[in-house]
Amino acid sequence: MIFILSKILLFLIKPIVWIFVLLIFAIASKNPKKRRRYLICILIIFFFFSNGFIVGKIINSYEADYPRADKFDIGIVLGGFSGLNKRNNEIAFNWAGDRLFQAIALYKKGQIKQILLSSGSANLINQQVKEADLAIQYLKLIGIPDSAILIENQSRNTIENARYSLALIAKSNPKAKILVITSAWHIPRAKLIFDKQTKHKIDYYPTNFSGNAEFQFSDFIIPNASALGVWEMLFKEWIGLIVDRLRA
């Protein structure tokens, strides 16, 4: 039930949904003053949440930085970076694909000895396709040996990522030095969850940064559709962070 409710909440936190609802109210309202207020609210919400500079500054302050250079026994790659390409039944990487690519680079450089793929299915309807199963096929395709791959394909969210991955490591290599590899904006929440479930020190490696290293003039004045998506992602993380802190 909690899993289903979380999916509903993800729909309601979208700024574009707020704009759409207000637009319906504006169209349905027979009162000219109310209609004007709705339209003004729509404009304010649209220009604020589509401003690249505003969201860029906020996410820059939120995203984690790189850890000190070191070597680790296991790099845990958190899921959400891919799906199934139904045209060829192979893996299709999305905007978070950098999570896996950076893990591969760290392995090639000798900074991690094993890659642990942690991801089941977050789909409400199709639970058969497991992201980790797709990713392991890709790793084998590019020459990563079986001995360097661990798999956890039951988790549906970050809490389960931590629970199942740490349980697997506790059985196979309880003294392992662990590096969690995930998106830079996801690390604050991942750190809270993982650190709560183990006494061992864990380091975190940020990937696919969403913030801007520098801003263009257009970021200040021209609406950016991608900014709406970044806000949606931030709201999701902040709500999750609050819930996880209350659970602690």
Side-chain angles (χ1 to χ4, degrees):
M1 179 62 70
I2 294 177
F3 183 62
I4 296 175
L5 290 175
S6 67
K7 293 298 181 181
I8 296 174
L9 180 60
L10 290 181
F11 175 76
L12 296 177
I13 63 175
K14 299 174 184 284
I16 194 67
V17 171
W18 307 343
I19 292 172
F20 181 71
V21 170
L22 286 171
L23 184 60
I24 292 176
F25 285 156
I27 295 173
S29 178
K30 297 180 180 180
N31 188 317
K33 289 185 178 180
K34 285 187 176 181
R35 186 182 300 114
R36 191 179 305 112
R37 289 172 185 171
Y38 286 135
L39 292 175
I40 291 173
C41 286
I42 291 172
L43 289 174
I44 292 173
I45 292 173
F46 175 75
F47 282 109
F48 180 85
F49 288 105
S50 67
N51 186 280
F53 173 75
I54 294 175
V55 73
K57 293 295 288 185
I58 291 174
I59 200 166
N60 278 345
S61 66
Y62 184 71
E63 289 185 320
D65 204 352
Y66 293 107
R68 293 181 179 179
D70 206 343
K71 293 187 177 182
F72 302 86
D73 296 304
I74 298 174
I76 304 175
V77 183
L78 302 190
F81 55 82
S82 66
L84 176 65
N85 182 348
K86 294 183 179 180
R87 293 177 177 84
N88 60 6
N89 288 320
E90 293 182 359
I91 193 168
F93 294 103
N94 60 28
W95 51 272
D98 193 43
R99 296 182 185 183
L100 184 61
F101 301 146
Q102 291 299 325
I104 295 170
L106 290 169
Y107 170 76
K108 293 289 187 180
K109 290 186 290 186
Q111 289 183 252
I112 57 175
K113 295 178 182 178
Q114 291 181 302
I115 299 172
L116 195 167
L117 301 167
S118 179
S119 182
S121 174
N123 193 304
L124 282 174
I125 300 173
N126 184 3
Q127 297 288 319
Q128 301 302 314
V129 178
K130 311 291 188 180
E131 183 178 18
D133 294 338
L134 294 172
I136 195 173
Q137 294 176 21
Y138 177 80
L139 292 183
K140 290 181 178 181
L141 181 66
I142 63 174
I144 305 296
D146 290 347
S147 59
I149 305 172
L150 297 172
I151 184 170
E152 178 285 293
N153 65 358
Q154 298 303 310
S155 58
R156 299 176 300 173
N157 51 49
T158 308
I159 293 175
E160 293 182 358
N161 286 149
R163 181 185 305 147
Y164 300 149
S165 296
L166 293 173
L168 177 62
I169 294 172
K171 292 181 179 179
S172 62
N173 189 359
K175 295 183 179 180
K177 197 170 184 180
I178 302 170
L179 180 70
V180 173
I181 303 164
T182 188
S183 303
W185 47 265
H186 187 233
I187 285 181
R189 185 171 170 225
K191 179 173 172 49
L192 173 70
I193 293 170
F194 272 84
D195 288 356
K196 187 172 64 175
Q197 297 195 33
T198 182
K199 295 180 180 179
H200 297 289
K201 183 181 183 301
I202 298 178
D203 284 297
Y204 299 83
Y205 192 90
T207 68
N208 61 295
F209 289 83
S210 294
N212 296 331
E214 59 182 26
F215 295 96
Q216 306 295 327
F217 179 71
S218 59
D219 293 322
F220 295 88
I221 59 173
I222 299 178
N224 188 335
S226 64
L228 295 169
V230 175
W231 275 111
E232 177 187 335
M233 176 191 70
L234 279 173
F235 288 147
K236 173 188 172 183
E237 285 302 301
W238 288 342
I239 291 172
L241 196 60
I242 291 170
V243 171
D244 292 329
R245 286 190 184 279
L246 291 176
R247 286 179 180 176

